[in-house]
Amino acid sequence: MVRWNAASCNVALAFIIASLGTSSNAAAQQQNRLQSSGDAPAHWSASSATRAASAPPIDYDTARLERRLDAVRATGPIVLDGVLDEPSWRDAPMATHFIQNDPREGEAATYDTEVRVLYDDEAIYFGVFARDEEPGRLTVNDLKKDFNTNNSDGFRIVLDTFHDARNGYTFATNPAGAKYDAQMANEGRERNSDWDGIWDVATRVTETGWYAELRIPFRTLKFESRDTQTWGVNFERKLRRLNEDSYWSPLPRIYDLDRVSMAGTVEGFRGLRPGMNLRFKPYAATTSSTISGRRTTGEVDAGLDVKYGVTSGLVWDFTVNTDFSQVEADEQQINLTRFSLFFPEKRDFFLENSGIFQFGTNAGQFGGGGQGGGGGGGREMRLFFSRRIGLSDAGEPIPILGGTRLTGRQGAFSLGVLNIQQRETDAVSAANFTALRLRRDILANSDIGAVFLNKEQGGPHFNRIAGVDANFRFGDFSANAYLAKSFSPDPLARAIGNEFGSRAGFNYQSRTWQAQAGHSGIGERFNDEMGFVPRQGIHNFDGRFGRQVRPAAISKWLRQMQPHWEFDLFTRQRDGALETSYQGYHWNFQFQDGSNAEIGFNPMIEDVPEAFTINSATQTRVNPGRYEFTEHFAFWRTNEAALVSFNTRYAAGNFYDGYRRNLNFGPSMRLNEKFNASLNLQFNDISLSTGAFLSKLVTTRINYNFNTKMFFNALVQYNSDNHQWTSNLRFNIIHRPLSDFFLVYNERRDERTGILLSRAVIAKMTYLMAF
């Protein structure tokens, strides 16, 4: 049986409780406090002050009921030019009086925003005027599609087209007219920013602020077939130089725009029709490849993607001879554990509507992005992981013959069906992959569901997974659980163990407290060939407990502190022995300009049953045994919206039977919205009884945006473990909506000899036809 000593528990309690004395009565002050003359920002307008002074405390349960707009049909054509001069705009009702949720929750926005809504037979229009007395100080850092909305002045819309208070679409722009769109489910617990819709925007900056005019065709959206409709809607304005977020329908600061259950409404749409919603997207590609010691080869390829709206809520996709040659390369990682590394999915076909296939929940981290370093292989299992399809374990592509996918919503049900046929190669036999997912909404904001996965490969071999899950959400509290079982004709050859995977946990988040804890169990014979399972035969107990403190005395420069304690504990199912213990005692600081810092220490225990190689270049090993060691770290990230910024993390401490020093340093430069570049350097200086080594990882990114439809991106990396330089250069032109031309150059070189290991030049054209 595993026990933590009393000292560890007492430290944890003291660490969290110590923050209580420094906290002001934030809940009362946030609602009733108006900034004194010394506290208010220099550009806080008189009209804002007047509204804030007279505004009563906000009742968030009822505020959304007062945020209502009538849907007005345009009386003439709308020209998208960023100038709201058509007569229809004058007649449209206006959404205004935006309310901050950060930094001064419940107070009027520093500069107000005005939003008007119109529609015609084909599209919905939004006319936006974002007031700003100093438009020369607007922060605009990017033009690329799906830009980082946190580091720029901007405006965001969420549309709950089914008015189910759960799901929606997000559209955003900045003063330069960059575009961001995403699908959102379960109030942001599942968000897919890789979804691409057909829509357009025009912007204009004036002496009194900036304008945005958006047109979103109805064929881009899914909604019910009713003659009269009401949609949920909310608007967000970001004033980046003050790091301020304000909303039309007010939100507490622990929520963001995805909280559609607190959104307002736009009412009275009549005669909406989504159209045929049929899209054909053929592609043609040519590739020239060179591998060291072989002749250069050329290849021409073509394929087709088809998307059909079966109902107002269901979409059926087909793909033939699927190609992902234009996808950005993976960012390399250094593995200092004995467990598999996780690499995110980047392929568009698998990213779109991917949220519906999510099973269970992935536990989050509290404070500062989890700068403590994690529990060493403690990432939660993913039952369905799409990188198992069309990619080898080394990340090399395996050709896909074709496939189909049906996703969407019908009433209270969410449905996902996926079937992909993978081609045979010299090293891998042909395989067919199927994923079935069904989820039903229950209560006000909860759901239950089931999943079935099936892999058929090369004759009699198959691997199947069946599971059920439940997610309950009640305001600030949520609880979740799942249970899954694997079925294979040749289960993993272990004498004991079971074929089950399970988890149960809860999460509580308020303005001042956060608590999360859970238990996972993965049987030794649980075999999931379509998922990511870093450990088997374990019980995992994890948790994070923290306090958010907003000290009023130093609020001019410090926005929030987050002391927190987290842990990951792994024991072996067969004997209950400890495998891994990780604890983190961290203190995070968030500053008013958007910068943040974190300090802490991480005591760890690792029981290593078998020797493993920790560095292949030097063949340094970690021998079997029980190791106790502690890492101390400090992290600092400056304001990422600034012209020049950096982040750095330094850590040092015992490591297995030796010592480790770790340095991450990442400067970034943003000259303007067109050019930005970043460099990330990671060094690990490690000395063990079996050897010593210095691992180096260099990641360089250069982005140049010619305009909102033409981009150049470069990703250059160096990894000392394999002594290779890799380059991934991409040039992209969006020649019409959702239609692209790509020119891609990939290269690998040996760092020691300079010899070319491989090179590929790819040209690809796609052309979308929508009906």
Side-chain angles (χ1 to χ4, degrees):
M1 184 174 180
V2 178
R3 289 188 174 90
W4 287 339
N5 59 40
S8 294
C9 296
N10 289 338
V11 169
L13 289 172
F15 186 77
I16 301 302
I17 295 174
S19 65
L20 289 173
T22 63
S23 174
S24 61
N25 187 355
Q29 292 189 14
Q30 289 287 353
Q31 295 295 337
N32 300 309
R33 185 186 76 218
L34 183 63
Q35 301 302 305
S36 65
S37 57
D39 239 0
H43 308 97
W44 208 43
S45 64
S47 58
S48 298
T50 301
R51 290 197 308 272
S54 60
I58 296 173
D59 183 350
Y60 288 106
D61 292 331
T62 61
R64 61 183 178 84
L65 303 177
E66 302 170 3
R67 300 298 193 174
R68 302 165 61 185
L69 287 175
D70 291 328
V72 174
R73 183 177 285 272
T75 56
I78 302 296
V79 178
L80 219 62
D81 55 7
V83 181
L84 310 181
D85 55 356
E86 289 85 1
S88 296
W89 287 122
R90 293 196 300 267
D91 300 330
M94 184 169 63
T96 187
H97 300 312
F98 278 48
I99 302 296
Q100 293 185 49
N101 86 329
D102 209 18
R104 298 175 178 84
E105 180 186 336
E107 296 185 7
T110 300
Y111 299 120
D112 203 10
T113 305
E114 301 171 358
V115 187
R116 295 174 171 84
V117 182
L118 294 170
Y119 75 102
D120 58 23
D121 290 337
E122 297 182 351
I124 184 171
Y125 301 84
F126 296 90
V128 182
F129 175 46
R131 296 183 180 276
D132 197 320
E133 294 177 6
E134 296 182 282
R137 299 183 63 196
L138 290 171
T139 302
V140 183
N141 284 332
D142 220 335
L143 292 176
K144 71 179 180 183
K145 191 178 184 313
D146 292 334
F147 66 99
N148 186 337
T149 59
N150 291 320
N151 290 333
S152 173
D153 277 80
F155 175 80
R156 287 202 301 163
I157 302 167
V158 65
L159 289 175
D160 175 10
T161 55
F162 287 93
H163 203 206
D164 59 9
R166 295 171 180 259
N167 310 291
Y169 301 88
T170 302
F171 301 90
T173 190
N174 63 23
K179 295 166 63 178
Y180 169 95
D181 50 23
Q183 287 177 319
M184 179 274 297
N186 289 317
E187 296 203 301
R189 295 169 184 88
E190 302 156 23
R191 185 187 296 112
N192 181 12
S193 59
D194 294 281
W195 173 80
D196 291 321
I198 298 176
W199 61 287
D200 210 351
V201 62
T203 59
R204 182 172 60 99
V205 179
T206 70
E207 294 181 354
T208 56
W210 60 281
Y211 289 84
E213 200 169 12
L214 296 85
R215 180 183 187 272
I216 305 172
F218 290 125
R219 66 185 181 187
T220 297
L221 309 171
K222 299 297 176 189
F223 48 86
E224 294 181 321
S225 297
R226 293 181 180 176
D227 290 336
T228 302
Q229 298 201 29
T230 295
W231 292 359
V233 66
N234 203 0
F235 310 114
E236 177 194 15
R237 164 85 179 279
K238 176 170 281 293
L239 187 60
R240 185 57 183 86
R241 67 180 180 273
L242 299 181
N243 203 19
E244 175 185 301
D245 300 323
S246 59
Y247 296 84
W248 175 54
S249 184
L251 298 173
R253 69 167 182 265
I254 59 173
Y255 301 133
D256 62 13
L257 193 67
D258 292 336
R259 194 75 174 184
V260 289
S261 60
M262 302 180 72
T265 54
V266 55
E267 306 171 354
F269 289 112
R270 297 182 182 276
L272 300 190
R273 298 291 181 268
M276 278 186 67
N277 200 8
L278 177 63
R279 300 182 190 177
F280 293 91
K281 192 173 184 178
Y283 82 85
T286 180
T287 304
S288 173
S289 302
T290 302
I291 298 178
S292 179
R294 303 182 189 178
R295 294 180 57 188
T296 299
T297 60
E299 183 179 342
V300 177
D301 212 351
L304 175 68
D305 293 337
V306 179
K307 185 184 296 289
Y308 174 62
V310 180
T311 69
S312 60
L314 292 173
V315 178
W316 201 350
D317 293 278
F318 303 87
T319 181
V320 179
N321 201 27
T322 316
D323 177 78
F324 305 110
S325 57
Q326 81 283 2
V327 174
E328 182 186 68
D330 288 324
E331 283 198 21
Q332 297 188 32
Q333 303 178 44
I334 298 290
N335 191 356
L336 298 176
T337 75
R338 60 191 189 274
F339 306 102
S340 299
L341 292 174
F342 178 86
F343 290 89
E345 178 64 85
K346 292 188 174 184
R347 298 169 295 173
D348 291 343
F349 181 83
F350 293 107
L351 287 169
E352 186 175 1
N353 294 323
S354 59
I356 183 62
F357 294 100
Q358 180 176 315
F359 180 80
T361 183
N362 294 314
Q365 289 190 335
F366 181 82
Q371 297 302 329
R379 182 181 290 274
E380 187 182 350
M381 175 189 79
R382 290 176 181 251
L383 197 75
F384 175 61
F385 185 42
S386 57
R387 282 182 66 109
R388 298 296 186 203
I389 306 172
L391 288 174
S392 69
D393 291 339
E396 297 298 323
I398 301 173
I400 291 177
L401 176 63
T404 185
R405 177 183 61 204
L406 178 67
T407 54
R409 292 181 56 82
Q410 198 67 30
F413 291 90
S414 297
L415 174 68
V417 179
L418 176 71
N419 183 267
I420 298 291
Q421 180 63 44
Q422 182 177 281
R423 294 180 187 267
E424 182 179 6
T425 66
D426 293 339
V428 181
S429 59
N432 183 268
F433 300 85
T434 299
L436 307 176
R437 181 72 162 115
L438 182 66
R439 188 167 60 205
R440 192 190 193 285
D441 297 339
I442 60 173
L443 306 177
N445 196 14
S446 303
D447 59 80
I448 55 175
V451 68
F452 176 76
L453 307 177
N454 182 50
K455 176 184 177 182
E456 304 275 352
Q457 184 173 21
H461 177 74
F462 68 84
N463 174 245
R464 293 168 185 157
I465 304 289
V468 292
D469 67 334
N471 300 280
F472 297 96
R473 307 176 186 98
F474 307 98
D476 298 337
F477 178 84
S478 63
N480 59 82
Y482 65 72
L483 177 66
K485 187 179 189 299
S486 65
F487 305 86
S488 294
D490 50 349
L492 300 179
R494 292 185 172 91
I496 61 174
N498 60 67
E499 302 92 354
F500 289 94
S502 63
R503 178 171 175 84
F506 75 91
N507 185 76
Y508 172 77
Q509 176 77 64
S510 71
R511 289 181 178 83
T512 53
W513 287 101
Q514 195 262 0
Q516 175 267 315
H519 168 266
S520 301
I522 308 295
E524 286 196 47
R525 292 190 292 148
F526 183 79
N527 181 25
D528 183 4
E529 297 180 19
M530 290 178 64
F532 177 78
V533 186
R535 303 197 195 205
Q536 291 165 293
I538 54 92
H539 289 292
N540 173 215
F541 302 87
D542 65 270
R544 292 168 181 87
F545 301 90
R547 170 94 163 133
Q548 301 186 70
V549 184
R550 294 206 165 198
I554 51 177
S555 62
K556 282 189 176 182
W557 54 274
L558 180 66
R559 178 166 296 187
Q560 183 169 275
M561 297 188 297
Q562 296 177 323
H564 55 282
W565 170 57
E566 58 188 33
F567 65 89
D568 258 334
L569 177 69
F570 293 85
T571 62
R572 300 188 182 101
Q573 289 187 352
R574 62 171 57 197
D575 57 11
L578 176 70
E579 181 171 280
T580 297
S581 171
Y582 159 86
Q583 295 187 70
Y585 302 91
H586 305 162
W587 199 294
N588 177 263
F589 304 86
Q590 297 181 14
F591 301 96
Q592 293 290 4
D593 66 351
S595 60
N596 68 88
E598 187 167 315
I599 56 175
F601 63 97
N602 305 310
M604 303 183 209
I605 302 173
E606 287 282 355
D607 186 77
V608 181
E610 299 177 357
F612 70 95
T613 300
I614 195 171
N615 183 262
S616 57
T618 61
Q619 290 300 303
T620 303
R621 303 183 323 278
V622 174
N623 289 321
R626 179 186 174 95
Y627 302 91
E628 298 187 19
F629 49 95
T630 299
E631 173 192 63
H632 297 81
F633 76 92
F635 170 81
W636 173 259
R637 178 187 287 119
T638 64
N639 178 10
E640 292 182 299
L643 180 68
V644 177
S645 63
F646 71 89
N647 68 83
T648 184
R649 182 184 188 272
Y650 179 77
N654 297 327
F655 189 63
Y656 293 101
D657 60 357
Y659 201 82
R660 175 193 178 202
R661 297 176 181 85
N662 166 256
L663 174 65
N664 284 273
F665 180 69
S668 298
M669 179 175 61
R670 301 175 182 271
L671 294 183
N672 50 38
E673 67 271 18
K674 292 188 174 183
F675 179 84
N676 60 78
S678 65
L679 173 67
N680 190 74
L681 307 173
Q682 182 184 140
F683 301 99
N684 284 283
D685 183 9
I686 296 176
S687 298
L688 302 178
S689 62
T690 58
F693 61 92
L694 174 64
S695 72
K696 294 167 281 187
L697 184 62
V698 180
T699 304
T700 303
R701 289 183 176 276
I702 299 174
N703 302 307
Y704 188 82
N705 309 310
F706 296 88
N707 50 49
T708 58
K709 297 181 179 180
M710 186 185 302
F711 318 96
F712 171 77
N713 313 106
L715 174 61
V716 180
Q717 303 180 84
Y718 168 69
N719 189 332
S720 64
D721 282 10
N722 58 21
H723 297 287
Q724 289 184 10
W725 281 95
T726 62
S727 302
N728 174 228
L729 313 180
R730 303 187 307 148
F731 176 70
N732 175 211
I733 298 175
I734 303 174
H735 59 88
R736 57 181 279 127
L738 300 189
S739 303
D740 298 87
F741 170 75
F742 294 98
L743 184 62
V744 182
Y745 178 84
N746 295 321
E747 181 182 282
R748 289 190 304 125
R749 285 189 181 273
D750 189 292
E751 170 249 342
R752 295 161 295 189
T753 64
I755 293 176
L756 177 69
L757 300 176
S758 66
R759 173 189 289 154
V761 180
I762 304 149
K764 180 177 179 180
M765 172 80 80
T766 68
Y767 191 93
L768 177 71
M769 296 172 285
F771 303 94

